[in-house]
Structure formats: C-alpha cells, structure tokens
Amino acid sequence: MHGGAIGQAGGLVHPANSGQIGRGWTPGARSGSEQHQLRLLNWRDDLQRIHALPPQRARFIDILDGAIRAGRRLGWLDPVHLERQVLLDRAAAQAGLDDFGDDWFLKPFDILLESVNGEARLNAAGEIAAQQQFQKVLVDRLWAQMWFARHPEILARPVRRPVVIVGPMRSGTTRLHRLLASDHRFSHMRSFETISPVPRPEFEDPSTRDSRPILAARIMKVARLANPRTLSIHPTGPYEPEEELGLLVASMYGMKHEAQWQVPTYGRWCEETDATPAYRYMADLLRLIGWSQQISSIRRWIMKTPQHMLDLPALLNVFPDARLIFTHRDPKAVVGSAASLAWNQTIIYSDSVHPADIGREWLRKTELEITRMRKARESIPAERMMDVQFADMDRDWRGTMARIYAFLDMEMEPAQPAMEAYVARSRRLKQKPHRYSLEQFGLSEADITNSLGEYARSFAIPAEGAAPPSKRRKAG
C-alpha cells in the first residue's frame, strides 16, 4: 500500500515494532491471550481500512506543483489562460498556419473549457498540462490541414471494412486489439501516433528523422513519474498498438477528458450530441496515418476505444461496413478497474478529488455505455457482429481468436506466431498486477448488481473467479 495512505489511516504501527496496534487501543488489565486476540482484530481492521483507501498520487506531482506555484510568485512563469481565442492564436503563431479545418470542434472546445475552468479544480501542474494538451491538439489540426492541402490523395484513401472492437473500459479490449494488430494483414495505430497523430511539416525531408516516437517515449517517462501505476494499469511503449481515442480528442471530443479531469457538464454534453463530425475527422486522420506509414490502403484497420460504446450510430455513419467485436467482462471488475484508472489520472491534475464521486460517476458512465450499446445492436445485422467474453480470452485465448478469425472469414495460422510473440512480450511489459477494489470508491458489489446485473445475465457473463458456464446463449 502507498505510504501516503498509511499516513492517512491514522498512525498504523506494525505489531513487530510496537505494543500499540491500530488506533485507540490502550493496554489494559487483560490476559496475554486476550491482548493477543485484540491486537489481531485491530490489525485486521486497520488493514481493511487501509485497503479501502485508493492509492495516493506520486510525490513527484506535489514537488512539481509546488515548484510551479513558486515560479509564478517570483514572476518566472506566466499565468495560464485557458481561453479559446488565446489558445487558438498561440497555436496559429507556433505553426505559422491558420486553417484549423472543420470548425465543428469549436463547440465541444468551448464547453470543455467552461468545464475545466469551472469544475475541474485544477492544481498548478494541472493547469499547465491542460494548456499544453490543448496547444498540441490545435497545432496538430493546423498541420493536418497542411498535409491534406499538400497531398489531396490522402483524403481519397479508402477505409474499408474496418474491424472495430467495442467494449467498456477495462473489458479486455486492449489485449484483443494487440493480438489482432500482431497480424500484418491489418493496419493499426501505434502509441506514438495516438499521442502525435500528425507528422511534423518536415516529415518528407529524407534528412530528418520522425521525432514522434522520441517525444512519445519522453511523455511516457514523465507519465510514469507522475503516476507509477501507469505500467500496471495500461502497459505500453511508443511502438505498441494503441487505440484511436486520441483521434477523437483531435475534435476536442470524448471521454478521455472525463478520465483525466472532473468535467461533468462537458461529459453530459458529449453524451447528448451527435458525434458524427468527430468520427468523420477521425477517419481523415486515419487516412493521414496510413499514408504516413506508407502502407497499402487495401489493409483493413483494427480499431478500438470505449468511446464507441456511446457512439455506435456515429461510428456506423462513417464506417457503414465495419465488423464489430463486442467484449464483455464481469461488471464488478469493469467498474472497479475503470474507477481506478480515472482516479489515478484525475489526482495528478487536481488536489480536490473524492473517490466516492469517481466511483459513482464511472458506475453511471458504464451503465450508460451498456444501455447505448444494447440499443444500437438492435439495428446491426447479426452477421456483422460477434461477442467475446473476457473470461474466455483468459482461459483459452487461442480458441477464442480462432472463433474471431472464423467470424472475419480469415485464416488464423499465418498470424499465430506473431500473436504468440505478443503474449510473451506482454508478460514482460506488465510486471505488476493492477490492484483495486470497489470499496475504495464507495461502491459495493450490490451497487453493481443492481445497476448491471441484468446485462450480465443477458450476456451470460461469468463472475470473475466463478466456474465457466457449460453453455452460453446469444444475447441482444
């Protein structure tokens, strides 16, 4: 357990080092046996109390935040202005360009800025991080329009019959995505491309090196200093296959913002809007990435992000011939893991985050994702979608992948050596398990069952740790 949590737990002392156990216990006129039993009971209660606390953020962020505040007091750092026109002007000045493309993104941008300024309660480090994130997205939009104008053939590249993995956060989508991405017959994004989807203007100069993987490695290094649990929650590297959520962020849209900042007004707006323009721009960025990778446009793209759970109609408006693979996992694990991921991100940028708020929000969000997904499935032909259980992938990933390849009408054998290599590599990447509990976020198993139990029963999702059912039934 993180040292900060122990400190907040009320002065826990290990029994090997002190005669006082836990909090509020004073030796009295008890027998040795009674005192021993009381010590054990108090020690157990302390452990339960500690494990009910989510992990604290890294000391690195507190030091960085303090340094930024000091720099401002001394006049060494300029104040942050999270205002639309200021950010647009700064990006235009940096890039020397002024065409941001389709202006649909300005509406979610305005609402996001209002939420960040009015609800997120950012600390000093969080304000600078937000400014840098917005600046980068805006400059990338300017560069993207430059490339589209310089090479009109980019936008003519087809994106045919993509394979889209659709599942809630933490439902095994990353594992499935990376297994399929091991197959060189598919196209996929890499981590450095979701961080920096647009090549720099000098990309075509043969004397220069693409700096995006180097930038991604540096960002990941800083991210691990800011959040040492990153590697266990989402193991990755600059060249690892990655989801396209960053391409939706390019339109200032999507739940990535909700997983890092407390922006409920913005989140509700996104839930109610038609995201087709954001998905259309995402498709154009996929075309640009495919062009920059110098790969054949005949290859089918492998895509995945939890955002698709909310926006299947928009996805299918833009990719009408997509093949959909739905992933399912015990909702208790999904909600707990999603809350843990959001908590570990949000506490970096704000000093005012309450775990129970995170738990309630990601239970609500997960329930909405599943409701929207089930509604959208009603109009999707059965032959264009299939379901995959997280438990089946755990128990027999080869057999599950064989079923997926049959659904895609492809031979699996050519891809199997690369998939085996990925499985071996992933074990090296993920050195520590991701630990979390519902109780850390003010939730109970009963809360999850009340909200999502019917979904779990309808899709015959096994409880984690339970024996697999002998027969599954198809659900709609």
Side-chain angles (χ1 to χ4, degrees):
M1 193 66 180
H2 194 280
I6 292 177
Q8 293 181 14
L12 175 66
V13 183
H14 193 283
N17 300 326
S18 172
Q20 182 173 357
I21 310 300
R23 181 171 55 182
W25 181 79
T26 303
R30 298 177 183 269
S31 69
S33 176
E34 289 174 331
Q35 289 188 21
H36 177 69
Q37 290 178 358
L38 186 57
R39 287 191 185 100
L40 290 177
L41 288 171
N42 285 338
W43 180 244
R44 183 194 65 189
D45 291 342
D46 276 329
L47 285 176
Q48 290 175 339
R49 179 155 42 83
I50 290 171
H51 285 297
L53 293 172
Q56 305 303 296
R57 74 182 177 203
R59 181 66 177 157
F60 169 80
I61 292 298
D62 296 322
I63 295 170
L64 178 62
D65 190 67
I68 292 170
R69 292 179 189 277
R72 287 178 179 171
R73 286 195 300 271
L74 295 169
W76 296 346
L77 294 174
D78 294 330
V80 170
H81 297 288
L82 298 178
E83 301 166 13
R84 186 227 270 189
Q85 199 56 49
V86 171
L87 294 165
L88 290 172
D89 290 346
R90 184 174 295 167
Q94 178 184 334
L97 300 165
D98 59 9
D99 182 3
F100 289 94
D102 182 356
D103 65 2
W104 180 87
F105 81 97
L106 293 173
K107 181 61 175 179
F109 191 23
D110 284 342
I111 295 169
L112 180 56
L113 287 171
E114 289 176 10
S115 280
V116 166
N117 287 313
E119 298 171 331
R121 301 188 293 277
L122 298 182
N123 54 33
E127 289 174 349
I128 286 183
Q131 178 180 261
Q132 291 176 337
Q133 178 175 319
F134 291 140
Q135 180 94 356
K136 189 175 183 312
V137 168
L138 292 170
V139 169
D140 276 350
R141 287 189 67 97
L142 291 165
W143 285 347
Q145 293 307 118
M146 177 205 70
W147 285 115
F148 296 152
R150 188 181 296 180
H151 291 282
E153 70 274 13
I154 292 174
L155 294 180
R157 289 175 65 92
V159 182
R160 296 195 182 100
R161 300 181 70 226
V163 178
V164 185
I165 301 163
V166 183
M169 192 183 298
R170 319 305 297 163
S171 66
T173 57
T174 294
R175 173 173 53 183
L176 177 52
H177 179 257
R178 291 182 179 177
L179 281 166
L180 286 170
S182 301
D183 188 335
H184 298 304
R185 291 171 291 180
F186 292 118
S187 294
H188 67 272
M189 289 182 60
R190 297 163 291 185
S191 285
F192 79 82
E193 290 162 331
T194 200
I195 293 171
S196 300
V198 183
R200 295 179 64 87
E202 64 272 17
F203 176 73
E204 289 183 294
D205 183 344
S207 67
T208 64
R209 180 182 178 187
D210 190 351
S211 61
R212 292 178 296 163
I214 299 169
L215 173 63
R218 291 173 180 168
I219 289 173
M220 290 173 186
K221 185 174 182 179
V222 173
R224 285 166 184 155
L225 286 172
N227 181 2
R229 289 169 290 276
T230 297
L231 194 61
S232 65
I233 296 174
H234 188 73
T236 193
Y239 290 94
E240 289 296 321
E242 194 52 85
E243 65 185 61
E244 63 277 5
L245 186 58
L247 307 190
L248 292 169
V249 170
S251 291
M252 302 296 180
Y253 177 81
M255 68 172 71
K256 177 185 184 295
H257 303 109
E258 298 170 76
Q260 70 181 87
W261 299 321
Q262 298 172 100
V263 285
T265 298
Y266 168 80
R268 301 306 187 275
W269 182 88
C270 287
E271 291 166 3
E272 297 303 321
T273 199
D274 176 7
T276 300
Y279 275 81
R280 191 177 297 121
Y281 189 68
M282 181 186 82
D284 287 344
L285 290 179
L286 277 178
R287 294 181 174 97
L288 175 58
I289 291 166
W291 173 84
S292 70
Q293 291 178 349
Q294 299 182 346
I295 58 173
S296 170
S297 60
I298 297 174
R299 286 190 186 182
R300 298 168 69 180
W301 280 93
I302 301 293
M303 298 161 53
K304 79 100 178 174
T305 175
Q307 188 70 46
H308 301 330
M309 292 280 285
L310 293 170
D311 293 322
L312 277 169
L315 173 89
L316 293 172
N317 284 343
V318 176
F319 306 104
D321 56 355
R323 297 301 183 267
L324 307 174
I325 304 172
F326 291 91
T327 61
H328 306 280
R329 186 183 183 186
D330 182 351
K332 296 186 290 294
V334 166
V335 174
S337 190
S340 175
L341 184 148
W343 168 264
N344 278 288
Q345 293 299 311
T346 308
I347 59 174
I348 294 173
Y349 306 107
S350 174
D351 301 335
S352 181
V353 188
H354 302 289
D357 293 343
I358 297 291
R360 284 192 298 271
E361 174 59 14
W362 286 95
L363 173 56
R364 183 199 70 83
K365 196 81 174 179
T366 304
E367 186 174 10
L368 180 64
E369 289 173 15
I370 289 168
T371 299
R372 293 273 181 89
M373 174 271 291
R374 297 181 74 177
K375 177 65 176 175
R377 285 170 62 113
E378 294 174 1
S379 58
I380 300 172
E383 65 273 12
R384 287 181 49 201
M385 62 180 176
M386 70 172 296
D387 297 292
V388 172
Q389 299 281 355
F390 183 92
D392 289 344
M393 287 290 289
D394 262 358
R395 185 172 57 254
D396 178 17
W397 70 263
R398 295 176 187 85
T400 305
M401 293 304 296
R403 191 164 64 90
I404 291 170
Y405 271 81
F407 164 69
L408 298 175
D409 195 25
M410 294 176 64
E411 293 292 331
M412 177 175 159
E413 185 177 358
Q416 187 146 351
M419 289 193 287
E420 298 282 358
Y422 158 71
V423 171
R425 187 173 74 254
S426 67
R427 293 194 185 104
R428 294 192 297 271
L429 274 174
K430 189 163 187 175
Q431 299 171 355
K432 295 181 180 179
H434 176 202
R435 301 189 184 280
Y436 56 88
S437 71
L438 290 170
E439 289 72 23
Q440 289 175 336
F441 302 101
L443 299 173
S444 68
E445 290 193 2
D447 294 328
I448 311 304
T449 300
N450 289 339
S451 296
L452 299 169
E454 190 276 330
Y455 155 69
R457 290 188 295 273
S458 294
F459 284 83
I461 303 171
E464 295 203 356
S470 57
K471 185 178 181 180
R472 304 201 194 286
R473 64 186 180 88
K474 185 177 179 181

